[in-house]
Structure formats: C-alpha cells, structure tokens
Amino acid sequence: MLSDPNVYVYSPYNNRPKITWPNGARVAFWVVPNIEFYELYPPPHPTRKDMARPAPDIQFYSSRDYGNRAGLWRLMEVMDRYGVRGSVSLNVAVCDHHPEIIEACLKRNWELFSHGVYNTRFQYGMSEAQHREFIEDVIATIKKHSGQSVAGWLSPALSNTEMTLDLLAEYEVLYTCDLFHDDQPQPVKVKKGKLISMPYAVEMNDIMVFHQVAARSPRHYAETIKAQFDQLYEEGAENGTVMCIPLHPFLIGQPHRIGPFAEALEYITSHDGVWVTTGREIAQHYYKYHYDDVVAAQLQSTRK
Amino acid sequence: MALPNEYLKYPIRKYGMDQDYYDWSITFRRTPVVWPNKARVALWVTPALQWYPMDLEGKPVAPPGMFNRPYPDYRNYSHRDYGLRVGVFRVMKLLDDLGIKASVPMNSAVAERYPVLVEEVNKRDWEIIGHGVHMGRMHYEGMDENLEKEFVSESIATLRRISGQPIRGWLSIGKSESSKTPDLVASQGVEYLCDWANDDLPYEFRTSKKALWSMPHTLEIDDRHLLFELKQRESDYVQQIKDQFDTLYRESEQYGGRILSIALHPWVIGHPYRIRYLAEALRYIVAHDGVWAATGADILDTFRKQQG
C-alpha cells in the first residue's frame, strides 16, 4: 500500500496561473445527478458491504429505486426551470433497465459520464484485464445508447484501484471526479496520455449532507450551497473556480427537499459571471487554454 | 484480493427491474387519480403503536429504536412504553381536534397487553395495520421460515380477534422483510404492503400467492427518523412536513391526486414539547382546501376503483 497516492503534485492555492472561463465568468458551475441502479441481490464483494441488512435489504433498495421512478423527474423539472444541464454520473446498466431515463437526459442535451455499471459493483480488487473489460463495457454502452464519448469518470460507489487513473487516460477519458483535493481542475499524473481531476465537492454531495456525515435538514443544505457559492464567486474574481453540486435523485428529489434546492439553484443562476455548464465543457476548455500552463508551472515549482 | 470473473457478469441487465415484485414505471407518467370531492392531497397519518420488550436482543437485525444499555434497561423500556401510556393520547386528541382519521400500525402484543388502545382506535373508526408481534420479532432474510410464518399469522390473527377489524394492511417492523414476507402476508388475506419506499402512489405488487398493492408509506417524513435518529430540531421537522406537502399539493394540479404520508411514533412525537410542533404542521396542512384525511384502506379503495 502507498502512503501518498502520488497522483498529483502539491500545488498551493496561492500564486497559481490564472484560470479564466468563457465570457469572463468567475465560476464554472456544474450539477451532477448520480443516476444509479442498485441490485436487490448484489454479488458479495470480498472487501466492502454497503447494505446493513442481509439481502434483500428492501429499505436500502426501495429508497434508491425512488430516485428513478419519482425523484429524478422532479429534479429534471427544477433544472429545466433554471437552465441547468446535468452532467450525469451514470451507472450504465440504467441504459438497459430504464432507457426512458436516457431518452429524457438526451432530450435535455445532458452529458452522460461513467459511474460504472451498477452501484453495487465495486472496482476494488479488479485485475488489469477485468478493469479493462469493465471500462470498455462502460464506454461501449454509453456510446451505443447516446452516441456520446465518455469524458468523465466517477468510480462506482467511489471504489478505486491503483490502476484506475492510468487506464482512464489510456482510454481517453478527460476527467476524473474521484479526487477531492481542489476547487480548480488539476492535472493528474498518469503513465500515458493526459487526465485532469474535476472538482466534485464531496461536502456539497447530498448523500454526505443528508445521510453519511451531517444529517442536515433540506433548508440547511440550501444554506450551505449558497455559502459555498458566495465564497467561490468571490475568489473567482481573481482566479476562476469550479462549483459542483453532486446529487442523488433518490434524496434531493424527495418532495421535502426539492423546494429548498430549487431556491439554491435560483440563487446561483441569478448571478452574472456564472458559467452554467457541464463537466465535459469545463474539461475541454481547461485542456485548450490552461492545461499546459498549469503543468509547466507545477513542474517549475517542483524543481525549485 | 482477486475478484472472481462472475463479478463482472450481469445476468439480469435487461429492460425493467432486476426482480419480479413489480413493474418499472415512472410516477409522473401515470393516469391521474381523482380523490373524493376532487381533493388534491390524501393525508395518511400512521401513528405506530409498538411494544419494546426489555429483553430485546436486536440480533441479527436490530429494530429501529434499539436499546443501548445493559439489561435491565429500565431507561429505554419505560421511555418507549411512555408512548403507549401518555404519548398516544396526546396524538389522538390532536388528530380528533383536527378531524383527522388515522391508520394505526400495531404490534399484536400491544393489542394483547393494552386492549384499551384497540377500543380507542375502534371508537374513532380508525384502521389497524398489521405490524408484527412486537419489536423483538423482526423479519429478516435467513430467519427460520416456519418461525416467520408463525409471526405473521399470530400477529394478524390476534389483531383480528381483539379488534374485529379485517386487517388489510401490513407494515413490517423497521420496514424489514425476508424474501418470504410478501407471500406470507398475502396468504393471510392482507391486501397492501407499507414497506417499499420507492413511489409516491400505490402500485401493484406481485407475490407467489395473490397480488398485493404497495402503498407509499413514508421512510423520511417520520418523527423517529428525523428527531430520534438524525436528531434534527423540531422546527426543521415541521418545515420538512410543510415543504413535503407544498410540493405534493402543487404537483397534484398537473399530475392528479397525491398522498402525503406522515409516520408517527407516540414514544417520539408524544412528548409535551414535541406534540405542539406536530400540531403546527398538521394545522398548516388542513387549512388548505382539497385535503382528504383518510385511512390507508380508504385511499387504496378509491385508487383501485379507478386504476385497479
């Protein structure tokens, strides 16, 4: 095991090359609905178990199924209202189980990126051959059902291997969401090709806020979103920032949560200088205008 | 640790669900249901009457509200029992004052130990929902099948005997089922299941016996979950109920009748300081036009007449 993942260089937040966004925007804002499928009887994994009760854990299963049947459609309505396209972190088995969802995403011109196959299948322990098969399955499935290439990758249930990032670069994935070390995109060290990390704000994630860490109320969540935005907007005047809201329709799409969330979205989108965009578009802009400068600056600072 | 290659095989990766209990269906694409008097929201309040035995083991699956002290745990036993002596009467008075009928999920041990509570429920023409034997009798996968059969038949027969009610609904303790539970409750003549938290409306639910209906009994708008487990402030609890109602009320205009499920536990909500917050939330709801306070059975009957 490694004590330092050694996938990025240390780069302090001050004295960085200035990041600019289109039309002089201060903040690149992207919203990530995690559209997931959890199996009722997942195969056991040797190192991780998510369900508290022996399968079938119908409370775990049915509460998540709520997202696909009801919550997502409520979320789509709110995002449409404020002109926010989703960047979907997709369990690609949803393409097979629920093609109506994919159709609704494509109709809205949303981006589909990878969140593995099922949220009940983890990457831990995969051999290289298995990992390649897994990545190829995801890329082919998204291509087949949407025509899109896979630009982003959030490992299913945040399960990683030490190979994952190198393999993603090899398969020409543009960005990973698995690193939470920064509020700007950052180059990732890979063996071949290029990869960047995209800020995916673990503390803005509704599942962390409501379930895993904080148990906050929906209105408290809306306050934290606004405060996060205010700070990133202020800092973005000097050097462009990225604001991300990672969401789970089974949580945010509940009737008692969607109202306060809509207010937060209205607050953000009512500001000038906010680039309301997708992960792919942020990554493409960053590679085009900033990647080489940032890599050069980081190389120079590590040589000092 | 190496993963077997089967881990990357997906035998049920196909259209629809990965199980046969129900069909895949989008809540917002269904034929709108119309409630009596063109009500927009059916208000379904379910105060659960539960008995926690002091020798509660909570193994292998612990019930919600599991005790956390060594035996004899007077502290937790009597705190839960407070709901059956005092809290429930505060809840009943509040619902009476507001003209709200309720469905009461009831452990059969409550009916046996405190039959006066069955009388109070019957006097109000409220519904009783099967809710297992008591909180030390969880249903879970891997339990002895005959034992589970006995829990289901014993609890339903006891409630029917003492209350004279048909017992048409079932809520598993902690919404925990084994893979046999739906079959077992269906074979006892139960018509609807309150355990699955995946919808805002009733839907058909298959068993190997006769079909059931799944009713949208809330997982989240639940006093025990929000106040006892998540330790939220009472004012947040009230706001969440109001926000839940506002969303459903608004959606009903476009999508047809909606159901607001409010799950209560008198051992949580029945304390003097908390009941006042519940009163605030319920008063807000019933002050709207188009709210139909009904039992689960009444809601399901109306739904089935149109869509069964």
Side-chain angles (χ1 to χ4, degrees):
Chain A
M1 288 192 284
L2 303 168
S3 59
D4 177 338
N6 194 28
V7 292
Y8 51 78
V9 299
Y10 176 73
S11 163
Y13 197 41
N14 58 357
N15 301 320
R16 289 182 177 179
K18 183 177 164 73
I19 304 300
T20 57
W21 301 127
N23 302 311
R26 300 173 173 204
V27 178
F29 175 54
W30 70 308
V31 174
V32 183
N34 282 271
I35 301 182
E36 300 174 326
F37 198 107
Y38 293 77
E39 298 160 285
L40 186 60
Y41 291 99
H45 191 280
T47 58
R48 175 168 159 176
K49 180 175 171 285
D50 277 8
M51 295 179 191
R53 294 172 176 170
D57 185 339
I58 66 142
Q59 186 174 324
F60 183 97
Y61 176 88
S62 67
S63 62
R64 281 150 185 79
D65 185 35
Y66 182 87
N68 293 332
R69 290 170 82 86
L72 172 66
W73 308 92
R74 209 169 261 137
L75 177 64
M76 280 181 164
E77 194 263 329
V78 165
M79 290 173 64
D80 288 350
R81 199 189 308 159
Y82 299 107
V84 180
R85 279 177 298 145
S87 306
V88 177
S89 159
L90 182 70
N91 287 160
V92 300
V94 171
C95 299
D96 304 294
H97 289 287
H98 304 325
E100 298 87 349
I101 288 179
I102 305 304
E103 191 188 326
C105 293
L106 296 179
K107 202 172 94 186
R108 288 166 169 79
N109 197 21
W110 284 15
E111 175 187 344
L112 305 180
F113 71 83
S114 168
H115 195 32
V117 178
Y118 287 99
N119 229 48
T120 36
R121 306 278 179 140
F122 310 135
Q123 291 178 171
Y124 308 114
M126 284 182 184
S127 67
E128 186 179 331
Q130 288 172 330
H131 212 333
R132 285 181 185 279
E133 180 188 330
F134 187 75
I135 293 171
E136 286 166 15
D137 178 351
V138 167
I139 290 174
T141 304
I142 289 185
K143 188 70 162 180
K144 179 179 156 200
H145 291 267
S146 72
Q148 295 188 21
S149 61
V150 172
W153 193 280
L154 176 68
S155 293
L158 310 188
S159 63
N160 281 282
T161 78
E162 289 174 10
M163 277 176 290
T164 307
L165 298 171
D166 287 327
L167 289 174
L168 296 181
E170 202 180 306
Y171 284 95
E172 298 180 336
V173 171
L174 301 180
Y175 65 92
T176 170
C177 300
D178 282 323
L179 300 171
F180 304 129
H181 60 316
D182 221 287
D183 290 321
Q184 293 179 321
Q186 289 292 309
V188 174
K189 289 200 258 179
V190 287
K191 286 185 182 141
K192 266 189 289 186
K194 293 177 184 176
L195 188 69
I196 59 171
S197 61
M198 190 63 73
Y200 180 72
V202 68
E203 298 226 2
M204 284 295 105
N205 191 327
D206 61 352
I207 204 167
M208 306 296 164
V209 169
F210 296 129
H211 273 201
Q212 294 175 359
V213 181
R216 289 185 188 137
S217 73
R219 284 180 184 266
H220 188 179
Y221 181 46
E223 280 171 38
T224 63
I225 291 173
K226 290 180 194 175
Q228 175 99 344
F229 173 78
D230 286 344
Q231 184 65 25
L232 291 170
Y233 189 73
E234 190 179 299
E235 293 173 8
E238 285 183 29
N239 197 335
T241 52
V242 175
M243 164 104 188
C244 179
I245 309 181
L247 298 170
H248 295 75
F250 77 88
L251 292 172
I252 200 66
Q254 291 283 344
H256 60 107
R257 296 205 179 96
I258 197 70
F261 176 72
E263 285 172 25
L265 217 50
E266 181 178 19
Y267 178 80
I268 292 171
T269 55
S270 68
H271 283 71
D272 290 331
V274 178
W275 181 28
V276 180
T277 185
T278 63
R280 186 196 309 273
E281 288 173 1
I282 299 171
Q284 285 169 340
H285 176 94
Y286 187 86
Y287 279 112
K288 188 166 178 190
Y289 296 105
H290 300 296
Y291 178 87
D292 291 338
D293 289 348
V294 172
V295 169
Q298 291 187 352
L299 198 62
Q300 202 173 18
S301 74
T302 53
R303 276 189 190 142
K304 269 179 196 166
Chain B
M1 214 178 295
L3 272 183
N5 281 331
E6 289 72 49
Y7 196 80
L8 278 76
K9 301 283 178 271
Y10 316 102
I12 16 191
R13 185 172 161 185
K14 59 177 172 52
Y15 184 80
M17 303 309 300
D18 62 334
Q19 34 77 15
D20 297 323
Y21 289 125
Y22 55 85
D23 291 331
W24 153 239
S25 161
I26 296 166
T27 309
F28 294 93
R29 294 188 184 174
R30 300 193 195 140
T31 311
V33 63
V34 182
W35 299 135
N37 301 312
K38 295 190 177 157
R40 298 174 65 162
V41 171
L43 173 63
W44 182 31
V45 180
T46 53
L49 298 185
Q50 305 171 323
W51 182 64
Y52 287 80
M54 193 164 73
D55 56 352
L56 191 61
E57 284 185 348
K59 286 175 189 165
V61 179
M66 180 61 201
F67 297 174
N68 56 2
R69 286 162 191 256
Y71 181 90
D73 190 349
Y74 290 170
R75 182 250 179 261
N76 279 301
Y77 178 87
S78 60
H79 174 257
R80 307 299 185 276
D81 211 30
Y82 177 91
L84 299 172
R85 300 168 63 91
V86 181
V88 61
F89 288 94
R90 283 200 185 100
V91 171
M92 283 180 166
K93 175 159 192 320
L94 173 61
L95 297 181
D96 288 348
D97 289 350
L98 297 175
I100 296 173
K101 274 176 87 173
S103 298
V104 177
M106 190 185 285
N107 292 159
S108 59
V110 171
E112 281 189 311
R113 293 170 58 88
Y114 313 130
V116 63
L117 293 175
V118 174
E119 285 168 33
E120 292 288 339
V121 168
N122 278 348
K123 202 163 81 186
R124 288 168 170 79
D125 203 19
W126 288 3
E127 178 190 11
I128 294 176
I129 292 174
H131 190 36
V133 177
H134 60 62
M135 301 307 278
R137 296 281 182 265
M138 290 278 283
H139 299 234
Y140 56 89
E141 185 65 11
M143 75 185 292
D144 181 88
E145 201 177 328
N146 288 323
L147 191 63
E148 183 175 20
K149 204 171 166 181
E150 190 186 308
F151 288 174
V152 170
S153 56
E154 181 197 326
S155 60
I156 292 175
T158 301
L159 289 178
R160 282 178 178 153
R161 175 169 52 81
I162 297 176
S163 73
Q165 292 204 22
I167 312 300
R168 299 171 57 187
W170 175 270
L171 172 67
S172 297
I173 296 161
K175 293 184 185 284
S176 177
E177 292 181 358
S178 82
S179 55
K180 309 289 188 313
T181 311
D183 284 355
L184 290 173
V185 301
S187 68
Q188 291 296 320
V190 163
E191 294 168 49
Y192 71 89
L193 200 53
C194 305
D195 295 336
W196 293 66
N198 56 343
D199 215 308
D200 293 328
L201 290 171
Y203 63 86
E204 287 190 73
F205 192 96
R206 285 183 281 272
T207 76
S208 69
K209 315 290 176 195
K210 71 181 182 56
L212 293 169
W213 286 79
S214 173
M215 281 284 282
H217 182 268
T218 185
L219 184 64
E220 307 228 11
I221 302 302
D222 177 313
D223 55 347
R224 188 197 59 224
H225 177 60
L226 295 176
L227 300 171
F228 182 79
E229 286 159 10
L230 299 188
K231 301 176 178 61
Q232 289 191 1
R233 291 172 61 93
E234 281 68 22
S235 53
D236 288 334
Y237 168 72
V238 171
Q239 190 63 56
Q240 269 165 274
I241 295 178
K242 290 180 180 175
D243 284 339
Q244 180 93 356
F245 172 77
D246 286 347
T247 298
L248 295 171
Y249 192 77
R250 195 180 54 248
E251 287 177 354
S252 66
E253 200 164 28
Q254 189 180 348
Y255 298 103
R258 286 292 183 259
I259 298 171
L260 173 60
S261 160
I262 298 181
L264 301 173
H265 300 79
W267 62 267
V268 178
I269 201 68
H271 288 274
Y273 72 100
R274 282 202 180 116
I275 197 78
R276 303 178 77 81
Y277 289 94
L278 177 64
E280 183 192 336
L282 292 177
R283 283 199 190 101
Y284 174 82
I285 292 165
V286 299
H288 286 72
D289 287 333
V291 174
W292 172 44
T295 64
D298 287 343
I299 295 169
L300 183 61
D301 285 343
T302 303
F303 189 88
R304 289 184 66 178
K305 261 180 222 149
Q306 294 172 39
Q307 310 204 355

